[in-house]
């Protein structure tokens, strides 16, 4: 007897053999493809046969020279069959519609009966011979003929009946006949056609009997239920596709109709009937989702069911409770859907209901958005009319000149409830920080709009918003991490505090005492929060900004002009520089310095209309910049200080109506030359152009331009003496920049002084003398050109050897 291996060992052996066969088959297929390609290429390279020569055929058994067909045999067959069936159907329609009246009653019955029976009976014989495709084509012609039979029967036998009712009956009969015909002969197309037609009878009968909108909606839902049942129980894929499409179409129409009836009802009764239809649609969706094998489809069905339930409840609430409570009622229904997590429903159904609840809660939050946006952006309108008088209540202060959203009395409740739901749900989710941030924003919005909704007095509303700012700052400052970095909730609280403080400051502009009190409070709150290292990069600049606004408000309250208020504003850059010097390069340094610089720019803008005050403000800003430059890491601020001092000098000179350019240029030339001298002493390799070029040009060039337009002798004389001194100094120290600028300016000054005399000499000469003199000069230059080039080269080398 043969010893058989264990089943597991034998299975491994067979798998190994099969893998070897697959590898061998793949190698043979690759070899065959290469051989076919080689033969085709060889056949393409063969020359065309001459006259009388028989073309060489392909190698036997290869088929390489045969032309590849562009269409398969089954494809050609299907095209022919479909085209034949379509042509026969068109001919039958033309016969029924056009030639029907030319035959008698017997002829009509004989022709239609013969055609229909023949078209429906021939597929039986074709199926016995195995010609299924041809049988399908002929059967399709038969089904089309049955429709024509129904039409002809109505025209001849029942001409007086209602067309809609007859169509309903005919569609029901045809759907039943096609279903039986398709099941008995096992053909593919009759069953999908019967299912599609079966969606029509109920709706057509309801229309025929004059049913109302509620009945039509119920019929649409019933039709959708039937299509759903067929889709869940039918095995063939085409039947399921048709059933699903019809169920979705009629179900969507029924749900939309029920929703419109529910939300447009004028009383509780009609609204309740429409809500009942929505509940039926929800139940239908849940049942369909329960038996659908794909989880995503089940989830979508449950989502639609949840929306239908909330829509029905909201429609009933709309006509039974005040308008402000419709959205909270829908929100309550949405929250009740969350209880699906505690039910034994399948997980996709529970997830769909939860997502429907989340969607409704999102719509409820969007409903409150106009009120929240008005509370945030509305105070900006108040800035255009500051100190116009204390309003009647806080709502008038916020919505000054803006339309108020209707039915917003329950907006704080909606925001607070959604925030509470998020807080409770966030404990069981992995994205707890994100959920906490969203809940915090919603809670802030609820508190923000509460004084507006309650129409609190103006002072009470200001206090409420100030408390919001203080609470947000406290949370951001004292709930930070140990590494001085803000967590997402802390950062969110800080941003909310900043937004609320800006709105509060703008709302306080309605009253002068309120403005000063609010700005003082905000400055103190943000300064106190700035003591903590975490929020300091945000709170310290905010405190400086509020302090700047406070300085402007104090100046305006004192009745001082803007250029006097600029001196108060300058206290903010000074404080910012002091704070930045104590931070030691921390993260708060740059934001504080930026806030101080912005306050300084505001002070300059306020003092700009008065040049004397502008000069004073520029000098004070220069002093602050100079103090900042004392810090080793801020040495570059010294350039800003020098520029500010120079601008202050120029503005003061302009205020004194000083027009001499030397008064503006000499304050620049002196310090620049001193700096250049000190730099050359430290580094002898520095060029004289770098050290002295800019300083000398700042004074010499403007003075030279002024001297050319000056009719007096004092400025040219002083400029010539200065140019001579510069030239001698350059010659003494062998510096290139003074030796170039000094002689050039001196020559131009001399030319300016000698210009009148040269003009007289030129006028006294004959007219032919200038051209002759120019030609003589050109001849001399041409004769000594090489020598002049050599001399110029030597001069350039000599200048290059200078410093």
């Amino acid at each position: 007897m043969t010893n058989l291996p264990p089943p597991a060992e034998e299975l491994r052996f067979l798998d190994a053999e099969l893998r070897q066969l697959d590898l061998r088959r793949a190698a043979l297929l690759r070899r065959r493809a290469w051989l076919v390609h080689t033969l085709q290429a060889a056949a393409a390279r063969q020359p065309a046969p001459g006259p009388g020569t028989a073309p060489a055929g392909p190698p036997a058994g290869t088929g390489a020279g045969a032309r590849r067909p562009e269409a398969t045999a089954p494809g050609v067959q299907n095209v022919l069959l479909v085209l034949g069936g379509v042509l026969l159907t068109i001919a039958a329609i033309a016969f029924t519609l056009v030639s029907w009246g030319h035959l008698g009653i017997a002829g009509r019955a004989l022709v239609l009966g013969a055609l229909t029976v023949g078209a429906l009976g021939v597929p039986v014989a074709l199926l016995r011979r195995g010609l299924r495709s041809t049988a399908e084509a002929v059967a399709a012609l038969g089904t089309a003929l049955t429709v024509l039979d129904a039409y002809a029967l109505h025209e001849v036998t029942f001409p007086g009946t209602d067309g809609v009712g007859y169509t309903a009956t005919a569609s029901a009969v045809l759907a039943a006949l096609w279903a039986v015909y398709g099941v008995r002969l096992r053909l593919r197309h009759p069953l999908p056609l019967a299912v599609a037609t079966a969606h029509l009878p109920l709706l057509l009968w309801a229309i025929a009997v004059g049913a109302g909108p509620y009945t039509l909606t119920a019929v649409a839902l019933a039709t959708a239920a039937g299509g759903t049942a067929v889709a869940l129980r039918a095995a063939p894929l085409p039947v399921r596709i048709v059933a699903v499409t019809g169920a979705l179409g009629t179900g969507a129409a029924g749900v939309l109709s029920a929703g419109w009836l529910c939300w447009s009802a004028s009383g509780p009764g009609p609204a309740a009937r429409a809500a009942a239809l929505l509940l039926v649609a929800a139940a239908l969706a849940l049942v369909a989702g329960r038996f659908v094998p794909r989880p995503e489809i089940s989830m979508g069905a449950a989502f639609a069911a949840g929306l239908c339930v909330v829509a029905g409840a909201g429609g009933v609430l709309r006509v039974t409770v005040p308008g402000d409570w419709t959205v909270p009622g829908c929100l309550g229904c949405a929250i009740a859907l969350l209880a699906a997590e505690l039910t034994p429903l399948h997980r996709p159904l529970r997830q769909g209901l939860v997502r429907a609840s989340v969607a409704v809660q999102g719509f409820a939050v969007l409903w409150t958005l106009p009120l929240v946006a008005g509370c945030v952006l509305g105070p900006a309108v108040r800035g255009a009319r500051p100190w116009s008088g204390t309003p009647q209540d806080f709502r008038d202060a916020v919505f000054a000149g803006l339309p108020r959203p209707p039915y917003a009395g329950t907006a704080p409740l909606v925001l607070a409830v959604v925030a509470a739901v998020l807080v409770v749900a966030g404990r069981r989710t992995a994205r707890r920080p994100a959920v906490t941030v969203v809940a915090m924003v919603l809670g802030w919005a609820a508190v923000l709009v509460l004084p507006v909704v309650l129409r609190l007095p103006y002072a009470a509303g200001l206090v409420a918003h100030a408390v919001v700012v203080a609470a947000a700052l406290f949370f951001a400052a004292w709930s930070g991490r140990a590494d001085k970095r803000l967590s997402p909730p802390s950062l969110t609280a800080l941003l909310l505090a900043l937004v609320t403080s800006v709105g509060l400051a703008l709302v306080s502009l309605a009253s002068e005492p309120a403005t000063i009190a609010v700005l003082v409070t905000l400055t103190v709150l943000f300064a106190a929060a700035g003591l903590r290292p975490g929020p300091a990069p945000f709170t310290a600049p905010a405190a400086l900004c509020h302090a700047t606004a406070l300085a402007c408000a104090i100046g305006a309250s004192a009745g001082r002009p803007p250029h006097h208020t600029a001196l108060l504003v300058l206290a903010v850059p000074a404080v910012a520089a002091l704070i930045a010097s104590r931070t030691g390069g921390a993260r708060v340094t740059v934001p504080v310095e930026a806030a101080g610089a912005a306050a300084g720019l505001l002070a300059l803008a306020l003092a700009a209309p008065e040049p004397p005050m502008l000069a004073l403000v520029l000098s004070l800003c220069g002093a602050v910049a100079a103090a900042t430059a004392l810090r080793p890491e801020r040495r570059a601020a010294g350039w800003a200080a020098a520029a500010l001092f120079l601008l202050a000098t120029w503005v003061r000179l302009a205020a004194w109506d000083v027009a001499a350019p030397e008064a503006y240029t000499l304050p620049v030339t002196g310090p620049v030359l001193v700096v250049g001298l000190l730099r050359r002493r430290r580094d002898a390799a520095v060029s004289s152009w770098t050290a002295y070029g800019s300083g000398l040009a700042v004074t010499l060039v403007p003075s030279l331009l002024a001297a050319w337009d000056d009719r007096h002798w004092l400025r040219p004389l002083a400029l010539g003496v200065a140019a001579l001194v510069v030239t001698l100094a350059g010659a003494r120290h062998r510096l290139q920049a003074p030796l170039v600028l000094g002689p050039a300016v001196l020559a131009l000054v001399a030319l300016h002084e000698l210009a009148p005399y040269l003009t007289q000499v030129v006028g006294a000469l004959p007219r032919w003398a200038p051209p002759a003199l120019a030609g003589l000069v050109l001849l001399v230059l041409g004769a000594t050109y090489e020598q002049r080039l050599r001399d110029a080269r030597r001069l350039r080398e000599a200048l290059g050897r200078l410093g």
Side-chain angles (χ1 to χ4, degrees):
M1 296 179 65
T2 304
N3 294 325
L4 297 176
E9 185 66 25
E10 185 178 2
L11 179 62
R12 284 195 296 269
F13 176 75
L14 291 177
D15 290 339
E17 290 294 329
L18 290 174
R19 282 195 296 271
Q20 293 295 329
L21 290 175
D22 291 337
L23 293 176
R24 181 60 179 166
R25 185 175 184 275
L28 292 176
L29 288 176
R30 287 195 298 270
R31 180 63 179 175
R32 181 184 181 281
W34 180 83
L35 290 175
V36 170
H37 176 72
T38 302
L39 292 175
Q40 289 179 349
R45 288 194 299 268
Q46 289 180 359
T53 303
T62 62
R67 180 174 297 176
R68 188 175 182 180
E70 297 181 356
T72 61
V76 174
Q77 167 190 306
N78 293 334
V79 170
L80 295 177
L81 291 176
V82 171
L83 180 60
V86 169
L87 293 177
L88 288 175
T89 303
I90 293 174
I93 294 173
F95 170 76
T96 305
L97 297 179
V98 178
S99 302
W100 182 257
H102 299 290
L103 300 176
I105 296 177
R108 298 172 188 174
L110 181 62
V111 170
L112 272 180
L115 288 176
T116 304
V117 171
L120 294 178
V122 169
V124 178
L126 294 175
L127 289 173
R128 291 176 181 175
R129 295 178 176 270
L131 302 176
R132 178 166 293 276
S133 298
T134 307
E136 289 282 354
V138 178
L141 174 62
T143 55
L145 288 175
T146 55
V147 177
L148 295 178
D149 287 338
Y151 168 75
L153 185 63
H154 177 268
E155 293 295 323
V156 174
T157 309
F158 307 105
T161 59
D162 180 38
V164 178
Y166 180 81
T167 304
T169 305
S171 59
V173 173
L174 290 177
L177 290 177
W178 291 340
V180 173
Y181 185 70
V183 171
R184 293 297 300 272
L185 297 185
R186 296 181 181 178
L187 297 175
R188 287 190 295 269
H189 82 278
L191 282 179
L193 190 61
V195 172
T197 308
H199 287 81
L200 300 177
L202 287 179
L203 291 173
L204 294 177
W205 276 329
I207 296 174
V209 298
Y214 291 92
T215 304
L216 287 176
T217 303
V219 168
L221 294 177
T223 304
T228 303
V230 173
L232 293 175
R233 298 302 298 267
L237 179 61
V239 176
R240 290 202 304 270
I241 293 176
V242 173
V244 168
T245 303
L248 289 177
T250 54
V255 168
L256 292 177
S257 176
W260 180 79
L261 292 173
C262 186
W263 283 83
S264 62
S266 58
R273 283 188 291 168
L277 293 175
L278 288 173
L279 292 178
V280 171
L284 176 61
L286 286 177
V287 171
R290 169 62 181 84
F291 295 100
V292 171
R294 298 181 62 178
E296 58 272 16
I297 298 179
S298 298
M299 191 182 305
F303 178 80
L307 293 182
C308 289
V309 171
V310 175
V316 174
L317 290 173
R318 188 188 65 85
V319 294
T320 55
V321 298
D324 288 351
W325 291 94
T326 302
V327 174
C330 294
L331 180 61
C333 296
I335 295 174
L337 290 178
L338 296 177
E341 286 288 347
L342 305 177
T343 61
L345 292 174
H346 286 261
R347 180 177 178 81
L349 296 180
R350 297 200 307 268
Q351 291 179 345
L353 292 176
V354 170
R355 293 190 178 186
S357 175
V358 172
V360 175
Q361 293 180 52
F363 287 133
V365 172
L366 290 178
W367 173 73
T368 65
L369 190 59
L371 180 62
V372 178
C375 292
V376 174
L377 304 177
V381 181
R382 179 67 62 180
R385 295 181 286 109
W387 298 351
S388 57
T390 304
Q392 296 180 356
D393 52 41
F394 195 70
R395 189 183 70 173
D396 294 336
V398 172
F399 287 91
L402 294 178
R404 300 177 179 88
Y407 303 114
T410 55
L413 177 62
V414 170
L415 293 170
V417 169
V418 176
V421 171
L422 287 176
V423 170
V424 174
R427 299 177 180 176
R428 296 178 296 174
T429 180
R431 291 179 282 186
R432 183 174 180 178
V435 174
T436 304
V437 167
V438 177
M440 185 179 299
V441 173
L442 293 178
W444 164 80
V447 178
L448 184 71
V449 302
L450 186 59
V452 176
V453 172
L454 297 179
R455 302 190 67 173
L456 295 179
Y458 178 64
L462 294 178
V463 172
H465 279 197
V467 171
V468 173
V469 175
L473 288 177
F474 179 82
F475 180 84
W478 278 271
S479 64
R481 299 177 180 175
D483 56 356
K484 300 180 181 180
R485 294 182 180 179
L486 294 175
S487 62
S490 299
L491 181 59
T492 303
L494 188 56
L495 295 177
L496 294 177
L498 292 173
V499 173
T500 309
S501 66
V502 173
L504 178 59
L506 292 173
V507 172
S508 66
L509 292 176
S511 173
E512 178 180 345
T515 301
I516 297 176
V518 166
L519 291 176
V520 169
T521 303
L522 293 177
T523 303
V524 172
L525 288 176
F526 279 95
L531 299 177
R532 302 285 294 182
F538 299 91
T539 55
L544 294 175
C545 292
H546 289 303
T548 303
L550 177 62
C552 295
I554 291 175
S557 178
R560 307 308 299 173
H563 57 274
H564 288 172
T565 305
L567 297 177
L568 290 175
V569 176
L570 280 179
V572 176
V575 173
L578 180 61
I579 295 174
S581 64
R582 299 295 181 88
T583 55
R587 294 186 300 119
V588 71
T589 303
V590 174
V592 166
E593 290 176 344
L601 292 176
L602 178 60
L604 293 176
L606 293 174
E610 293 292 330
M613 186 60 69
L614 178 60
L616 177 60
V617 172
L618 284 170
S619 61
L620 293 176
C621 291
V624 174
T628 303
L630 296 177
R631 293 155 48 197
E633 71 276 7
R634 291 291 185 265
R635 297 299 187 195
W639 297 101
L644 290 172
F645 284 130
L646 179 62
L647 288 175
T649 304
W650 287 354
V651 171
R652 173 54 63 182
L653 292 174
W656 286 339
D657 296 330
V658 176
E662 292 78 10
Y664 297 90
T665 57
L666 287 176
V668 181
T669 298
V672 172
L673 292 179
V674 172
V675 173
L677 179 61
L678 295 177
R679 186 173 181 185
R680 276 187 63 84
R681 285 183 178 180
R682 294 180 180 178
D683 187 5
V686 175
S687 171
S688 61
W689 287 103
T690 303
Y692 308 118
S694 59
L696 294 174
V698 165
T699 294
L700 294 177
V701 174
S703 298
L704 179 62
L705 296 177
W708 274 79
D709 195 29
D710 195 348
R711 298 173 181 262
H712 302 282
W713 58 273
L714 182 58
R715 177 178 280 112
L717 177 60
L719 182 59
V721 172
L724 180 60
V725 171
V726 170
T727 303
L728 295 177
R732 171 69 177 79
H733 298 284
R734 302 181 65 184
L735 299 175
Q736 186 179 12
L739 280 177
V740 173
L741 294 176
V745 173
L746 184 59
L748 291 175
V749 170
L751 181 61
H752 173 266
E753 294 301 316
L754 295 177
Y757 303 102
L758 294 176
T759 303
Q760 293 178 4
V761 171
V762 173
L765 290 176
R767 295 187 176 181
W768 54 267
L773 180 60
L776 182 61
V777 170
L778 290 177
L779 288 176
V780 173
L781 290 176
T784 60
Y785 183 72
E786 184 177 0
Q787 182 64 32
R788 295 296 180 269
L789 288 178
R790 188 182 300 111
D791 294 341
R793 191 179 302 110
R794 291 176 180 175
L795 178 60
R796 185 182 61 186
E797 293 175 356
L799 291 175
R801 289 192 294 272
L802 298 177

